[in-house]
Amino acid sequence: MSTRPYGGRLPNGLGLSVEPRPGAGLVSVALTVAVGGDADPAGLHGTAHLVEHLMFPRAAASDGPDGGHVARVEGAGGVCNAETHRDHTVFHTTVPAGMLTEVLEWEARRLLTFAPTESVLRTETSVIAEEIRGAAAAGGVWEAALAALHPGSRDAFGTAADLAGATTADVDAFFRRHYRPDAMVLSVVGEADPDRVAASVDRFFAGLPTGPGPAPGSTPAPAPARTAAPATIRTAPLPSPVSGAALGHPLPDPVHDRSGYLAHVVLAETLGRTRLPRLTRLTRRDPRIVSALVTCGYHGQWLGGTAPDLLLAQFATAPGAGPRAAADGWREVLTELAERPADPAEHRRALNALLLACHRRADSLTARSVSLGRAALLFPTAPGPDALPGALARVTPAEVSAAARALLSGPCSVTELTAPTALTAPTGIGENR
């Protein structure tokens, strides 16, 4: 078996990346498509999310004893799932290595035979409506911050009202326009021979129609962050298990300012690991703040999408403290770091945690296949995932301080979180099949 990684595009334009790991015993296949919620047609918000669901056809009589796609994968001892983001959708499957050829065939089959019936469409719109209700109950904090800082942006879930009017013709047209081989990357990681994989993919995926459509990455992005807006942009209050506030900041473009983006990633890790805990009741520094956390990137996934992207801080406050306490505490920790860079030990702790996260992404076959596909599709001109540890290690305390100053001088969304409401947080868009 060849152990040389393979990367390139097949004659029909399909991107293919193969990373062999002899002896792994398993193999993960990720299909990443350059379309997400940003491409939803007017009046049909949620179409990308709906197509993702329809790529998991339920068992029908014509499927025979093996059932539908999920049943076939699980029957082979594997697992499969998918996620819809603003700018891409990713489908991932992990199975015993001996089933790789079959999985590649199944993956091509559901692309080539995509033709949802009216009954299946209505079933999936009902399933998504429940997901949307769950996301609304969880507060939609990230989406509220994105909409405030980037007017015109939309979440990837969609709206139940729009999806209720979707037709099979609508989803078929969307699928034909966006699910083209030149807008896809297939990434395979595990016990796999790159030459055999390339031959199988060429055979199974050769029939994918190219058709007219926007080139990958050409989907119009939401309007840029406001430049003439007030420094603080308030949104409507949202329900939460505890009272508090969420503060959002736009991040640098990870394509055109990768170093600035990564400095904000290190900033978030430094704040969350050592600075924000000092504000909580446990240290009695500020009794108004009960707990605080900060996340960087799409729902906490840094480099999980292209611009626009956010850094989001969430605070739980004592009764009666209000969002002012959260804003005061947040500016306090940002100002400290902006005026005085972290000492080498604190900076190294943050970097070590991020480097460990990079290793976790590489060790998991599923996470690795998703990372490879996402990097190839969304960041084709940037170094791949293996360059991230080195790039993070080069971030200096001074650059992190500069990132803190950028947050202090830039726009900030403030969302009041109101209690009491019992909530169940979603695990991810499309991840509850």
Side-chain angles (χ1 to χ4, degrees), residues 36-38 49 83-88 142-143 146 154-158 251 254 261 265 295-312 361 374 378 428-431:
D38 286 348
H49 190 187
E83 304 170 25
T84 302
H85 291 243
R86 289 188 310 96
D87 50 9
H88 70 285
W142 201 93
E143 286 77 14
L146 182 70
R154 295 174 295 181
D155 62 70
F157 283 96
L251 286 170
Y261 184 96
V265 173
T295 56
C296 190
Y298 181 77
H299 288 276
Q301 300 180 56
W302 47 275
L303 289 182
T306 53
D309 208 352
L310 303 177
L311 183 148
L312 186 69
R361 294 184 186 185
R374 182 177 288 156
L378 301 183
I429 301 175
E431 290 190 350

Side-chain angles (χ1 to χ4, degrees), residues 171-418:
V171 296
D172 186 72
F174 186 91
F175 179 86
R176 303 299 166 195
R177 178 172 175 79
H178 294 286
Y179 278 64
R180 308 181 328 274
D182 61 307
M184 302 179 188
V185 170
L186 192 70
S187 45
V188 180
V189 178
E191 190 166 335
D193 184 299
D195 295 333
R196 292 182 179 178
V197 171
S200 295
V201 172
D202 193 32
R203 181 167 76 254
F204 297 139
F205 290 80
L208 290 178
T210 53
S218 67
T219 299
R226 307 181 188 198
T227 55
T232 300
I233 307 165
R234 293 194 174 274
T235 75
L238 291 175
S240 170
V242 294
S243 297
L247 296 94
H249 298 269
L251 286 170
D253 189 321
V255 173
H256 300 104
D257 187 9
R258 175 63 64 95
S259 61
Y261 184 96
L262 293 181
H264 282 73
V265 173
V266 180
L267 170 65
E269 188 66 34
T270 303
L271 292 170
R273 184 162 293 276
T274 59
R275 300 303 176 104
L276 288 177
R278 299 175 189 172
L279 294 176
T280 65
R281 279 180 168 176
L282 296 177
T283 60
R284 301 186 181 279
R285 178 170 170 180
D286 189 337
R288 299 174 302 167
I289 298 177
V290 178
S291 64
L293 63 88
V294 58
T295 56
C296 190
Y298 181 77
H299 288 276
Q301 300 180 56
W302 47 275
L303 289 182
T306 53
D309 208 352
L310 303 177
L311 183 148
L312 186 69
Q314 292 181 252
F315 293 82
T317 56
R324 179 64 181 270
D328 289 347
W330 180 235
R331 292 192 67 85
E332 178 184 334
V333 295
L334 282 177
T335 301
E336 281 183 346
L337 208 47
E339 295 178 348
R340 185 183 305 107
D343 62 53
E346 181 184 18
H347 185 69
R348 174 52 57 187
R349 283 195 295 271
L351 288 181
N352 286 344
L354 292 169
L355 294 176
L356 182 60
C358 290
H359 288 304
R360 282 198 298 266
R361 294 184 186 185
D363 289 343
S364 163
L365 296 183
T366 301
R368 179 67 172 178
S369 65
V370 170
S371 294
L372 288 175
R374 182 177 288 156
L377 199 65
L378 301 183
F379 312 113
T381 61
D386 291 337
L388 273 178
L392 286 166
R394 288 191 292 272
V395 175
T396 67
E399 290 172 327
V400 175
S401 286
R405 290 193 293 273
L407 295 192
L408 286 167
S409 62
C412 174
S413 68
V414 179
T415 302
E416 182 177 3
L417 307 177
T418 60

Side-chain angles (χ1 to χ4, degrees), residues 87-110:
D87 50 9
H88 70 285
T89 303
V90 58
F91 305 85
H92 48 84
T93 302
T94 302
V95 293
M99 297 299 300
L100 175 57
T101 301
E102 286 84 352
V103 167
L104 293 173
E105 182 179 9
W106 299 340
E107 199 70 58
R109 182 192 304 179
R110 60 176 175 167

